[in-house]
Amino acid sequence: MQWQKKHMRRHRKRAAAVAQVAVCSTVILGMGALVIDIGAMYTAQTELQVAADAAALAAASQLAGLDGSDPRTKALEAAGTYAQLNQPVGLAVQVFPDDLEFGRSEYNPNTERFRFQEGGGPFDSVRVTLRHAPDSSRLKLPFLFAPILGAKSTQLEARAAAVFIPRDIAVVIDLSNSMNYDSQLRYWNRTDGGYSNLRDIWCALDGPEPQRPYLPSAVVDETEYADDTGPTFGYMTEWGAPLQPTNPGRYNHTSDPGLTYIRRNYSQSASVFGPKLSAAGYNASEQSALLSSSNDGTATHFVNRTGVLLGLAQWRSGKSGAAYPGGGNGDNVLANSEMVWLPNPPFAKSWNWSTFINYQQGSTAMFRYYYGLKTFTNFLLDNQPRPTQTEGLWATPQQPLRATKDAVLVLADVIDSLESLDQLSLEVYGRYAAHEIDLTDDLYRVPNRLYQRQTAHYDTTTNIGGGMYHAIASLLYSETARRASSKIMVLMSDGLPNEQDTRGSLSLIDQMDPPAGSPQSWGSGGSAPSDYALAMARIAANNKIRIFTVSVGSGSDRSLMQSIAAIGGGQEFYADGTPEEYTKQLEDIFRSLGGKRPVALIE
């Protein structure tokens, strides 16, 4: 009896435990199902947010619309593509037009953050909401276990907004003397299809400044200066044969009617010079002395008689019946005291006519001993290019500098058309680099200042690293530089670096240096200027400055420019060929650079 009672009590306890386990198992299974479904929901939501972020960035990158198409159409296509590439596992996502909002975000300089504002224009930002399946129904995630508790699915939605980040762009331009080489006589017979636009330089010496942009033409004399006669000096009144022959080698300077051959220690022909000397009033005795080379051994005699033969000077010989009486001693030597030179041209600053004559008899002169408007204009570009030597060469179409100026104008036009918050600065370099224009949203200050700079404006040689130093200083330390902006350097050069600064001469270099251990091989004596430029590229990259390089001309060191761009995480562009060809190429390059706008998420 006692045993039966105990057995009954144990049986009741087991039954209660079974009931408890049954009830708890249901709860436990329900909680487990809920945890699994909630976990799946959070995973899907996270993945959907990633897809929304990608879609917003892709859509925003299409807002420039530089090809003339509707940016909203391209933004929708890009958002849909990237949403599907990143869609959550097991879900099909579709972006419809009403899932996109276009706007113009406001930038708060105090918080250095953007706030999306729908509407306005032109659009610089877009907000994407992922909420639809391909059949346009709301996006739903089916539950696996939650239906036990009465929940079959949940709606998913993710939103993200992206904006074009404003750029601080430092434009770094080569002003070394090689930036007018394509206009010089040195390339009169080039075989790559190029040609010298020297005649346009001559015509522009007395104005007008070329149009902006200047439009060179491969067809002989069919430029904006085709009907311009240009300035004349003495008997140098005819330009002569064109320098842009259809086939290289057809131009022959020895038969060019615009050039006069006067060689030292060689007597001149009376049939060539006699009529001009007679018209100027020189008598037979004076003409004999002027045509004879017998006194060319005297240091200044040849220069002076060449000046008279070119109509650039008058000789007061002192002979009986002289053309210009007074001052001379009557012998056959043209002394300096007996000369009256024509006034120097208004653009001459540090040279005179005897400087030109001496240059043209030098062994390095193109078409040595040939004098005329061609060799005179070439003398200015090659020997007297600085503004302290020849004023106003900036207002002539020096190539490839003029093509570069026009390309920078295109850059400003593109950025201005975007109505963005971008800023431009201008840095230039020869031997000495110079900061020209602070970062500014008054974009046209940059091309307008550059148009007033000529080759060798500060010096004739090439200090690429110095120009990069000033760009880094402008982008990081100037008062108008912005922390939230994307930092861009656009570096242009046509030649090899052959100058560098010392570390001690750069006041901000210690602040700029990359972390300890980074290679620094310049400034210690004997290092190559290219090392200096590469060191500046590393400093820029360490400070998140992206570098795009533009190489111009067949003589440029593309390897160095490619290395600089690679270090700076950018790209090297290249323009070559005729002035007509690389003018267009440069404009296309700078147009492309103007449209390379970075995007970032703001929501």
Side-chain angles (χ1 to χ4, degrees), residues 333-417:
V333 177
L334 279 73
N336 285 339
S337 60
E338 300 173 349
M339 303 300 297
V340 177
W341 291 86
L342 291 183
N344 294 328
F347 44 79
K349 303 298 291 185
S350 64
W351 55 268
N352 54 35
W353 293 115
S354 62
T355 313
F356 162 55
I357 295 170
N358 270 313
Y359 166 82
Q360 202 55 35
Q361 68 169 312
S363 60
T364 61
M366 288 296 301
F367 307 157
R368 188 182 183 189
Y369 293 120
Y370 282 85
Y371 297 89
L373 295 172
K374 289 186 180 70
T375 55
F376 169 70
T377 307
N378 189 74
F379 153 75
L380 301 179
L381 296 177
D382 187 49
N383 189 252
Q384 303 291 323
R386 300 176 65 174
T388 55
Q389 297 169 324
T390 303
E391 189 175 50
L393 284 175
W394 62 267
T396 68
Q398 298 173 305
Q399 293 289 32
L401 180 58
R402 186 72 195 199
T404 301
K405 293 177 178 180
D406 292 338
V408 173
L409 177 62
V410 168
L411 176 67
D413 284 339
V414 169
I415 296 174
D416 182 64
S417 70

Side-chain angles (χ1 to χ4, degrees), residues 499-571:
E499 292 287 349
Q500 64 174 314
D501 303 300
T502 62
R503 292 175 63 85
S505 68
L506 306 175
S507 60
L508 294 172
I509 191 62
D510 291 333
Q511 295 174 243
M512 292 181 180
D513 268 346
S518 295
Q520 293 287 328
S521 59
W522 63 276
S524 57
S527 59
S530 58
D531 291 335
Y532 174 37
L534 292 172
M536 286 299 164
R538 289 189 287 271
I539 292 173
N542 186 64
N543 287 279
K544 297 181 173 56
I545 297 172
R546 195 175 184 190
I547 306 174
F548 295 92
T549 60
V550 182
S551 307
V552 182
S554 58
S556 59
D557 186 349
R558 293 194 63 194
S559 176
L560 174 63
M561 298 292 274
Q562 289 167 353
S563 296
I564 291 173
I567 293 170
Q571 180 180 353

Side-chain angles (χ1 to χ4, degrees), residues 320-337:
S320 176
Y324 303 97
N329 59 13
D331 65 10
N332 290 332
V333 177
L334 279 73
N336 285 339
S337 60

Side-chain angles (χ1 to χ4, degrees), residues 569-591:
Q571 180 180 353
E572 184 249 3
F573 297 89
Y574 179 52
D576 69 340
T578 69
E580 185 179 30
E581 290 168 341
Y582 63 59
T583 292
K584 184 180 185 305
Q585 292 172 31
L586 284 173
E587 291 179 3
D588 289 343
I589 289 169
F590 276 75
R591 185 176 291 108

Side-chain angles (χ1 to χ4, degrees), residues 26 65 108 112 125 127 134 169 173 192 195 236 272 295 297 299 312 340 349 370 383 465 526 541 562 579 601:
T26 302
N108 187 328
E112 296 184 344
S125 53
R127 183 157 60 192
I169 305 173
I173 302 297
D192 62 354
Y195 57 86
M236 298 190 301
V272 173
N295 291 304
L312 300 176
V340 177
K349 303 298 291 185
Y370 282 85
N383 189 252
Q562 289 167 353
L601 294 171

Side-chain angles (χ1 to χ4, degrees), residues 292-306:
S292 172
S293 63
S294 59
N295 291 304
D296 281 359
T298 303
T300 58
H301 174 81
F302 172 73
V303 173
N304 290 338
R305 81 180 183 95
T306 299

